[in-house]
């Protein structure tokens, strides 16, 4: 038989254990809730004040006046896949097409290479028009890599061109000007979620649009890409590259001149390595001269 003192000790220990277990469980639950509240689920979460209500409608985050001022005039648009006229491509799913399994109407245009399936994976994706790079990243696994450019049309409206499911994204700094026809990435599958294709959108908006729904009851504020490409097609016989591309080429050439100048003046091995990245210079020949 257990005496009363021993029973009291055992009951006290059990009670203390229950209290400790309850307190630990409460602590873990509250910590998990606070971590969940502080997790960044969206590409714009870093800009959201901690006091903001959850969930946040990220379409309410507008471009800054500086971004709008930097958006270049886009007076010509061409196909982002294939040649400038979209040769060797076809539209697998158009804007507004009903997709019952996906739960709504398609908010973009799916462009494919004429080979079908994954034959177009890795093909270059080019900027449809002169624009400001406002987003390059992955809003979610279903979207894969996404690039968004901001354009100012001749009538003063601001539109964005969105390129999704990319396999790779070109190394272009955020906030840079991108020339029409400049490569911004390659066709991908969004981590194998789809057969390779380019999801292409034109959006009339001055708010961030990357990662917004790809299907809905309506097409929201999307514009038909075919109408934009038709309205702002290049004049017949136009073969000149976009001025921004030409300017970048001039800047690159000027940069090489600077490297050569530094090498000549300082015999800079660092400058020489930049010029000849695939091999080391034959210094023995230099010393024998």
């Amino acid at each position: 038989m257990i005496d009363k003192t021993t029973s009291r000790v055992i009951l006290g220990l059990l009670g203390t254990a229950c209290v400790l277990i309850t307190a630990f469980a409460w602590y873990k639950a509250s910590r998990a809730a606070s971590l969940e509240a502080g997790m960044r689920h969206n590409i714009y979460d870093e800009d959201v004040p901690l006091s903001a209500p959850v969930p946040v409608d990220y379409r309410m985050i507008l471009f800054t006046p500086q971004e709008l001022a930097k958006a270049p005039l886009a007076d010509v648009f061409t196909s982002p896949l294939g040649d400038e006229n979209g040769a060797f491509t076809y539209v697998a799913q158009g804007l507004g097409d009903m997709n019952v399994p996906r739960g709504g109407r398609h908010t973009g245009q799916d462009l494919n290479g004429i080979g079908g399936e994954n034959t177009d994976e890795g093909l270059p994706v080019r900027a449809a028009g002169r624009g400001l790079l406002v987003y390059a990243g992955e809003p979610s696994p279903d979207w894969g890599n996404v690039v968004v450019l901001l354009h100012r049309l001749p009538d003063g409206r601001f539109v964005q061109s969105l390129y999704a499911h990319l396999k790779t994204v070109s190394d272009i700094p955020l906030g840079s000007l991108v020339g029409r026809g400049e490569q911004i990435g390659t066709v991908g599958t969004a981590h194998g979620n789809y057969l390779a294709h380019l999801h292409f959108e034109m959006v009339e908006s001055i708010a961030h649009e990357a990662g917004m729904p790809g299907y809905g009851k309506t097409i929201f504020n999307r514009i038909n890409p075919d109408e934009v490409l038709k309205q702002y097609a290049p004049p017949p016989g136009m073969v000149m590259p976009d001025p921004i591309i030409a300017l970048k080429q001039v800047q690159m050439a000027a940069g090489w001149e600077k490297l050569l100048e530094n090498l000549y003046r300082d015999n800079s091995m660092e400058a020489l390595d930049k010029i000849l990245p695939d091999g080391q210079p034959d210094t023995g020949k230099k010393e024998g001269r």
Side-chain angles (χ1 to χ4, degrees):
M1 295 292 292
I2 300 175
D3 58 28
K4 291 183 178 180
T5 302
T6 304
S7 298
R8 290 193 184 98
V9 171
I10 292 174
L11 290 174
L13 291 174
L14 289 174
T16 302
C18 288
V19 171
L20 291 175
I21 291 172
T22 302
F24 180 74
W26 174 84
Y27 169 77
K28 293 290 287 185
S30 61
R31 178 172 172 79
S34 63
L35 287 175
E36 178 70 17
M39 285 177 66
R40 303 305 183 184
H41 294 287
N42 190 285
I43 55 177
Y44 311 117
D45 279 357
E46 293 296 341
D47 296 327
V48 178
L50 295 178
S51 59
V54 178
V56 175
D57 188 344
Y58 297 96
R59 287 166 292 185
M60 298 302 292
I61 301 179
L62 304 178
F63 289 119
T64 66
Q66 291 84 353
E67 288 173 316
L68 295 176
K70 286 181 63 179
L73 174 66
D75 51 355
V76 175
F77 283 87
T78 53
S79 174
L81 192 63
D83 72 357
E84 288 191 345
N85 299 311
F88 306 107
T89 67
Y90 69 95
V91 177
Q93 185 177 208
L95 175 70
D97 288 355
M98 186 64 188
N99 190 317
V100 176
R102 296 283 181 178
R105 298 191 178 278
H106 193 221
T107 60
Q109 186 180 74
D110 287 345
L111 298 175
N112 286 68
I114 58 175
E117 296 191 346
N118 286 331
T119 57
D120 51 354
E121 184 175 1
L123 290 181
V125 175
R126 305 185 186 280
R130 186 183 311 130
L132 177 72
L133 182 65
V134 293
Y135 180 76
E138 184 176 297
S140 72
D142 287 343
W143 274 107
N145 289 314
V146 174
V147 168
V148 181
L149 303 179
L150 177 65
H151 317 273
R152 179 168 53 87
L153 297 181
D155 61 11
R157 290 182 298 154
F158 289 95
V159 299
Q160 298 171 53
S161 57
L162 182 148
Y163 314 78
H165 311 330
L166 301 178
K167 181 176 183 178
T168 61
V169 174
S170 299
D171 186 17
I172 304 174
L174 197 65
S176 298
L177 295 180
V178 177
R180 175 185 53 81
E182 184 173 348
Q183 183 170 340
I184 55 176
T186 57
V187 175
T189 63
H191 308 293
N193 286 318
Y194 323 100
L195 291 174
H197 70 276
L198 171 66
H199 177 93
F200 177 52
E201 294 184 9
M202 295 294 297
V203 191
E204 184 175 356
S205 173
I206 58 171
H208 290 272
E209 294 290 340
M212 293 299 110
Y215 295 88
K217 293 182 179 180
T218 69
I219 60 172
F220 307 114
N221 52 354
R222 273 57 173 182
I223 304 172
N224 190 330
D226 287 336
E227 294 178 0
V228 175
L229 296 180
K230 181 179 180 181
Q231 182 176 357
Y232 297 101
M238 178 179 176
V239 294
M240 291 180 61
D242 189 276
I244 290 178
I245 296 179
L247 178 61
K248 288 184 177 182
Q249 292 172 343
V250 170
Q251 291 174 333
M252 184 179 297
W256 276 80
E257 284 185 6
K258 191 67 175 177
L259 284 174
L260 291 170
E261 178 185 325
N262 291 340
L263 175 63
Y264 178 77
R265 185 183 67 239
D266 304 327
N267 194 25
S268 169
M269 294 305 296
E270 181 181 353
L272 187 59
D273 288 340
K274 290 180 180 178
I275 297 174
L276 303 173
D278 298 327
Q280 296 296 325
D282 188 351
T283 54
K285 290 183 179 180
K286 273 190 171 183
E287 292 172 357
R289 288 181 182 175

